[in-house]
Amino acid sequence: MAKSVIQGYKISTLNRSDLVKPALSNQYQVNISGIPKGVTEHLENIYNVKGDWINRNMGLLCADATLPTSSFATSEVKDNFQGINQQFAHTRLYIDSDFTFYVDYNYNMIKFFEGWMDYVSGANRINDINIPGSDKESHRGFYRRFNYPNGETGYKVDTLSIVKFERDFKRSGTYLQYDFINAFPKGMTAIPVSYGAADLVKVTVTFAYDRYVVGRASKSSKDKPEPLSPETQVTTVASIEASNRRNMEILRQKNESLRREFRGEEPLRNKDGSVIGF
């Protein structure tokens, strides 16, 4: 009796459309907007990174992103009730987010973040200061005076955003948007290079921010598709299971064909006579 109840619960759970269509991790878009004028001028004058390159390529070159999260700092109270320890939230803590970007052929991505962090620290070269008796061609004078975070001469961007959507966005119209308020690059991880097999160069940047805002939007109710009926949901689950079985059978045949070729035997063939294999 208990088994049938549990089995019925599992079937009813699988029939729900939320489980039939789970969200995928590789559909997203990153955007950086509102970069202060001081940062863009520094990038263009010192590192030759143009503003149009930032607007055109930053989001496209983002290889990995992290949807933000937060936690609460709590205080523990032990004296209100005997034998009971209570916790009360007093501060919301926002955790830094990591973003990984592909490095382009001209290394503009590395120069962009190096220049941004250079501007944050207020790094200036000898040509920017006057030291009596120094030779500006050979002297390596250097000093740091950190810039103020906000305003045109600040270093925090208005919005760093991640939009999470699915492949059928045009049909469903639903998405999630995370907006990081007053974000700036806090650190960059080391970029390994080595002899051997070539791989794409990536740079991972940790962003600090004041807070984030979660926004959600969807089309009007009249544009939304009707929910799947229970009969349609059952049919959808059955079709998915049948497709999985077909794929597993194809994979089994390919593996068996490759093993036969490795042993010098006749490989498996399709109905048209072609060899089954990868």
Side-chain angles (χ1 to χ4, degrees), residues 4-48:
S4 62
V5 172
I6 296 175
Q7 188 67 20
Y9 172 76
K10 288 182 178 180
I11 293 175
S12 64
T13 302
L14 286 174
N15 289 341
R16 297 175 185 174
S17 61
D18 286 347
L19 296 181
V20 174
K21 296 180 61 177
L24 302 178
S25 62
N26 61 347
Q27 304 290 327
Y28 65 94
Q29 178 66 44
V30 174
N31 180 56
I32 297 179
S33 62
I35 300 177
K37 183 178 179 181
V39 176
T40 56
E41 290 181 349
H42 181 79
L43 290 170
E44 185 168 352
N45 296 333
I46 306 299
Y47 291 89
N48 196 30

Side-chain angles (χ1 to χ4, degrees), residues 4-131:
S4 62
V5 172
I6 296 175
Q7 188 67 20
Y9 172 76
K10 288 182 178 180
I11 293 175
S12 64
T13 302
L14 286 174
N15 289 341
R16 297 175 185 174
S17 61
D18 286 347
L19 296 181
V20 174
K21 296 180 61 177
L24 302 178
S25 62
N26 61 347
Q27 304 290 327
Y28 65 94
Q29 178 66 44
V30 174
N31 180 56
I32 297 179
S33 62
I35 300 177
K37 183 178 179 181
V39 176
T40 56
E41 290 181 349
H42 181 79
L43 290 170
E44 185 168 352
N45 296 333
I46 306 299
Y47 291 89
N48 196 30
V49 178
K50 307 295 183 181
D52 59 344
W53 182 90
I54 300 172
N55 298 329
R56 185 176 64 250
N57 297 324
M58 283 298 301
L60 295 176
L61 292 175
C62 183
D64 296 292
T66 304
L67 298 181
T69 186
S70 61
S71 61
F72 287 115
T74 60
S75 296
E76 187 174 9
V77 178
K78 301 181 180 180
D79 301 329
N80 286 349
F81 303 96
Q82 183 177 1
I84 298 178
N85 297 336
Q86 294 179 296
Q87 292 192 20
F88 300 93
H90 60 80
T91 304
R92 188 172 182 179
L93 306 176
Y94 294 95
I95 302 172
D96 297 340
S97 289
D98 294 333
F99 294 80
T100 301
F101 297 88
Y102 292 112
V103 177
D104 58 291
Y105 185 80
N106 295 317
Y107 308 109
N108 283 327
M109 188 63 69
I110 296 178
K111 291 188 287 186
F112 172 77
F113 288 110
E114 286 286 358
W116 194 347
M117 297 182 68
D118 194 34
Y119 183 83
V120 172
S121 65
N124 292 274
R125 293 165 178 79
I126 186 61
N127 290 336
D128 299 328
I129 58 177
N130 183 18
I131 300 179

